[in-house]
Structures are given as structure tokens and as C-alpha cells.
Amino acid sequence: MVSTILGRKLGMTQVFDENDNVVPVTVIQAGPCVISQVKTKATDGYDAVQIGFGDIKSKHVNKPMAGHFAKASVEPMRTLREVRVEDGSQFNTGDVVSVADFAEVASVDVTGTSKGKGFQGTIKRWNFHRGPMTHGSRNQRKPGSIGQCAYPARVRKGLHMAGHMGDERVTVKNLKLVQVDAEQNIMLVKGAVPGGKNAIVSIRMA
């Protein structure tokens, strides 16, 4: 069994559990994902499968990728990811990974790209405290001292400073899988997952 499936984040809503408690959930359209390549230890040195998700017009596929899909005898797909498996010889190109495979799964790990927030200062990016707002202070949102004097006479690497925030790979682990709808390829995951609406996420069995 392939332990990972690709999906698209549709948004958030809330459902009620068996005790009538409100549960905030993220709605993910997961799969179906088609296997477009199989790797084994004999051919590649490790076992893995390549899965694809999302439709794409053939005119938007370049010639190398068009040949890759034609070799596997599958339709072109927009997003491809490689997933490690225990024995690659058990799978064939064209096999489908669907949300039905996650029907008995209790929790999942979701990986995605977080929302980009642009260039941010130290207060928003690293939760620094601001300076005093009164008595002539000129240090409200400045970073403050960033180093020593004569020694080492430089700014140490890794110092928390202003810079680009967000837009990075984030994994949220052990999220409860609340519901799986195999007919509509929908899964409801408790809590928030990285990315905005329509973001591509990877869901792995925890």
C-alpha cells in the first residue's frame, strides 16, 4: 500500500462529533493519484513509486514529460511526487491511490507550503518585544543590538533578524482524520494544515 496521497486544500469548516462537540476541520480533495513510475532496488537502487495529481492539458506539457507519461501509458498530470515503498515490484504504472485506502487510518501527517508573508520585521517574524513608547524612546520596533564590540567584531550566524517570512515547507504531524468520503474524494482533517486555499498538500499515514 502507498502511504501517501496528494490533494488540494479546499478550505475549512466545522462538523459535529458523536458527542455533539464542534470539531474544526480542513477539507482536502485528495486524489485519485495515478502511479506514473515504479522504482525498484534492481533498477534504481531503492523502492519507490511516483504518483501524480491534477489534470493538465497536453499542450501545456513539455516534450520530456510528455514522453515520460507516454512511456507509463498514463494521462498527463500537473503535480508529481515520489513516495518510498517497501517493495516496488508490487506496483504497476497506472495503479490508482485513492482516499478509500485511508478509510481505516486514524491520523495523518500533512505537508504543504506555508503562506508567504513577505519581508517582515523581528516583532512579527520572531516575536520580539517592542521598545518603550514614551519618554523619548526611539526604539519601538527596531531589532536592537545585533552583536558585540571589538570581539568578535561581526554579526554571528543564525541571529534572528528581519527577513523573508513564510513560503516554506511545513509538516503538521498527527492530525486526526475525522471523515473520508470515497465517492467525492474528500477527507476531513481536524485542525489547520499549511497553505492557503487551493494549495497542494501531501497527506501521509501517521
Side-chain angles (χ1 to χ4, degrees), residues 105-187:
V105 177
S107 57
V108 294
D109 301 336
V110 181
T111 302
T113 302
S114 62
K115 291 182 179 180
K117 300 183 183 299
F119 191 96
Q120 298 297 334
T122 54
I123 291 180
K124 180 163 184 166
R125 191 182 185 201
W126 300 113
N127 298 318
F128 278 20
H129 289 283
R130 64 165 174 80
M133 301 293 289
T134 57
H135 299 290
S137 171
R138 294 185 176 182
N139 177 22
Q140 276 83 39
R141 299 182 69 89
K142 294 179 180 179
S145 175
I146 61 173
Q148 296 75 35
C149 183
Y151 179 82
R154 60 182 174 86
V155 178
R156 295 183 182 273
K157 291 183 178 180
L159 185 69
H160 287 181
M161 299 180 70
H164 185 267
M165 181 179 178
D167 192 28
E168 57 187 2
R169 181 184 172 91
V170 178
T171 300
V172 182
K173 295 185 176 182
N174 292 325
L175 294 177
K176 181 181 178 181
L177 186 56
V178 177
Q179 185 177 340
V180 173
D181 187 347
E183 294 183 359
Q184 299 182 352
N185 296 317
I186 296 293
M187 61 171 53

